[in-house]
Amino acid sequence: MTEILHIVGGGMAGSEAAWQAAEMGVQVVIHEMRPKVGTFAHQTGNLGEMVCSNSFRSDDDEQNAVGLLHWEMRAAGGLIMACADQHRLPAGGALAVDRDPFAETVTTRLLAHPNISVSYEEINELPETGQWIFATGPLTSPALGAAIRAQTGAEALAFFDAIAPIVYAESINMDKAWMQSRYDKGDTEEERTAYLNCPMDRDQYEAFIDALLAADKTEFHEGETANYFDGCLPIEVMAERGRETLRHGPMKPVGLTNPHQPDVKAHAVVQLRRDNALGTLFNIVGFQTKMKYGAQTDVFRMIPGLENASFARLGGIHRNTFINSPTLLDDRMRLRSRPNIRFAGQITGVEGYVESAAMGLLAGRLAAADILGHALPTAPQDSAMGALIHHITGGAEVKTFQPMNVNFGLFRPVEGLKGGRRGRKDRYKAYTDRAKAAWQGWLEQCALDAA
Ligand SMILES: Cc1cc2nc3c(=O)[nH]c(=O)nc-3n(C[C@H](O)[C@H](O)[C@H](O)COP(=O)(O)OP(=O)(O)OC[C@H]3O[C@@H](n4cnc5c(N)ncnc54)[C@H](O)[C@@H]3O)c2cc1C
């Protein structure tokens, strides 16, 4: 009799983790607090409930990183994708899902699996013994949040995200922008040129403030706002406090000289900072926002140098419990300080139904492999699954770590392909071809281990 795998949380990640481990022959207990204990967003006691939109986003596995993740999960026999496909609704190139039958099917299939049982209870500690996966999501119960905080330290667990938009480096116009740290601070050339700067004159700044104030904003969900104002004010709220506030905050122009116009003092400067070790992504410093997505692209493209910016992700502020995975987790998703505990899903710092389910799939397989004594390595870096896990457990900047969607900026470049917008189609196809081959190889290794 092998060791039991305990999974806390039966959402997107926990459901997928349970399915994968059970299919590998491991006995699984899912501990789910609903319907006994609710959250402000969940409506039912079903496993795999979609809390808001009913979309799994793009289903294009050749040109889109989310579509590629769909493909990889289907190839791995994923439960969430199988149920989504069964309850698919017409939505063009997107995968939209009939949410209630979807969650009912997820629940029924998990309950019917001979290796899975469900215990409807809240878990509010990190047990010392046994194999555990915590997949309690953005709305992890307060008692468990406190237990995680006690184990990881207050700095390593956040209750809100404050996501600044992230731009693909290749889409930034370097004829207008330049690399320089404020006051050229830093011991190495790399540190002295760590920031990417976009200058504004007075008219551009005033127009930018007008656009910020006029932009459509999203509202917080009911019950979402408690304590959020601690240190993460949206830029539009800063602008509402005074037209000069941003110029004295994240857009201050001091300590910087524009090499394109050395004699002209910028009225304001927008700074971007590297967001990943690969240097393919830059976040706009201090630009967390509640503007609607359409408004964000319009407003941020007013910034000189970002006229043609492509965004890997747009900004947001949400109630969201997540750990600082780059410092806390190893590449097999185990808590470094307590290897019997794994984390999966949105709490690891990925964002979205698909990414959360994907991290559940990986955690379930890795936990089951450990229990069964298989030597399964973590997902290959060139797969979408591997690009994500590599980002959250190593590639991301630790100090500014915020939740991440899957996107091609997380992938290692394919050598010899044309950069820029023109080469994009070929590049994305090369990424997805390479990813599929890498993922197939990993799945074959899983199968060999099991034989
Ligand atoms: C208000 C809101 C709106 C969102 N809208 C979208 C959207 O439109 N699209 C999108 O892709 N993503 C959205 N998200 C993010 C979404 O929640 C995640 O993408 C996805 O559901 C995360 O999957 P998960 O398995 O990590 O967490 P969940 O799906 O939330 O599952 C976690 C489970 O753990 C349970 N749980 C929590 N604490 C305990 C405990 N102590 N003991 C036992 N069980 C526990 C919960 O009841 C829940 O069932 C939204 C999130 C929120 C909060």
Side-chain angles (χ1 to χ4, degrees):
M1 181 82 178
T2 55
E3 196 174 2
I4 290 174
L5 175 61
H6 297 271
I7 297 178
V8 186
M12 293 294 153
S15 298
E16 188 63 59
W19 183 259
Q20 294 291 328
E23 287 285 280
M24 286 170 69
V26 169
Q27 292 290 325
V28 177
V29 179
I30 300 174
H31 305 263
E32 170 52 59
M33 68 178 186
R34 291 177 296 114
K36 286 187 187 152
V37 181
T39 76
F40 76 82
H42 291 88
Q43 308 285 325
T44 73
N46 284 333
L47 304 172
E49 179 179 333
M50 301 171 88
V51 289
C52 191
S53 100
N54 69 334
S55 175
F56 276 33
R57 301 167 17 235
S58 171
D59 201 27
D60 179 349
D61 62 60
E62 292 194 344
Q63 292 290 313
N64 188 287
V66 179
L68 176 62
L69 216 40
H70 293 176
W71 186 95
E72 291 182 8
M73 286 198 282
R74 286 185 181 114
L79 173 73
I80 294 295
M81 288 311 300
C83 297
D85 287 337
Q86 189 178 336
H87 297 290
R88 184 177 196 130
L89 296 172
L95 175 54
V97 171
D98 195 355
R99 68 176 70 238
D100 288 337
F102 163 79
E104 280 154 21
T105 307
V106 171
T107 307
T108 309
R109 290 192 61 183
L110 287 169
L111 288 172
H113 199 292
N115 292 344
I116 297 176
S117 62
V118 182
S119 172
Y120 290 96
E121 58 176 341
E122 179 184 359
I123 301 290
N124 54 24
E125 57 167 357
L126 300 182
E128 300 275 347
T129 56
Q131 290 293 326
W132 293 78
I133 297 177
F134 282 80
T136 45
L139 306 178
T140 293
S141 70
L144 179 61
I148 296 171
R149 214 165 217 218
Q151 175 68 30
T152 61
E155 293 298 305
L157 178 75
F159 294 108
F160 278 89
D161 56 35
I163 298 169
I166 295 177
V167 181
Y168 287 107
E170 61 170 26
S171 69
I172 300 171
N173 178 0
M174 294 307 289
D175 292 337
K176 292 192 180 158
W178 77 97
M179 304 294 301
Q180 184 188 8
S181 299
R182 215 180 281 288
Y183 299 112
D184 299 307
K185 276 191 185 153
D187 294 334
T188 61
E189 184 60 13
E190 195 181 17
E191 283 175 6
R192 285 190 289 275
T193 55
Y195 288 78
L196 201 150
N197 303 285
C198 299
M200 279 186 187
D201 63 24
R202 181 184 293 275
D203 289 347
Q204 287 165 332
Y205 178 78
E206 293 299 333
F208 183 72
I209 298 294
D210 287 341
L212 273 183
L213 295 175
D216 278 347
K217 322 283 184 329
T218 53
E219 300 297 329
F220 279 107
H221 289 73
E222 202 181 322
E224 204 183 359
T225 48
N227 301 328
Y228 111 88
F229 271 98
D230 297 4
C232 62
L233 275 187
I235 43 163
E236 61 275 11
V237 174
M238 287 190 246
E240 277 163 16
R241 292 188 172 181
R243 296 185 71 89
E244 290 293 291
T245 307
L246 282 169
R247 237 168 59 75
H248 295 286
M251 294 175 72
K252 60 178 177 281
V254 298
L256 296 164
T257 305
N258 180 354
H260 306 299
Q261 290 181 300
D263 300 329
V264 179
K265 183 91 190 106
H267 188 68
V269 173
V270 175
Q271 286 204 301
L272 293 88
R273 182 169 45 213
R274 214 158 89 157
D275 203 71
N276 63 345
L278 292 172
T280 49
L281 300 174
F282 278 77
N283 68 66
I284 313 184
V285 179
F287 270 35
Q288 57 273 5
T289 177
K290 291 289 282 180
M291 279 188 287
K292 288 192 174 161
Y293 282 175
Q296 286 190 42
T297 46
D298 291 346
V299 172
F300 295 139
R301 285 188 184 137
M302 293 172 73
I303 298 169
L306 302 189
E307 306 85 358
N308 296 312
S310 292
F311 293 90
R313 69 158 309 156
L314 288 161
I317 299 176
H318 316 93
R319 173 76 179 81
N320 192 359
T321 313
F322 66 100
I323 58 172
N324 192 293
S325 291
T327 53
L328 297 178
L329 300 187
D330 67 15
D331 67 354
R332 300 178 67 78
M333 309 173 82
R334 294 176 299 206
L335 204 51
R336 291 179 203 276
S337 59
R338 294 275 296 282
N340 70 315
I341 305 283
R342 275 188 164 79
F343 283 89
Q346 184 131 334
I347 197 168
T348 62
V350 297
E351 171 130 346
Y353 302 136
V354 180
E355 288 86 340
S356 298
M359 291 301 97
L361 188 153
L362 194 56
R365 285 202 174 214
L366 290 171
D370 283 356
I371 288 171
L372 296 168
H374 296 169
L376 185 67
T378 196
Q381 194 180 345
D382 289 335
S383 62
M385 197 77 72
L388 253 187
I389 192 65
H390 184 79
H391 179 78
I392 63 170
T393 61
E397 288 294 323
V398 169
K399 282 192 198 142
T400 56
F401 183 64
Q402 288 288 325
M404 184 56 105
N405 289 126
V406 70
N407 65 78
F408 287 126
L410 304 180
F411 288 58
R412 288 194 287 208
V414 176
E415 297 304 324
L417 287 173
K418 203 166 11 154
R421 277 176 179 266
R422 286 223 178 124
R424 202 160 54 176
K425 210 168 170 201
D426 290 342
R427 222 164 45 243
Y428 290 174
K429 180 74 168 57
Y431 286 147
T432 55
D433 284 349
R434 183 181 64 177
K436 288 172 185 173
W439 185 243
Q440 284 289 13
W442 189 78
L443 290 178
E444 280 159 23
Q445 192 167 350
C446 291
L448 277 178
D449 278 349

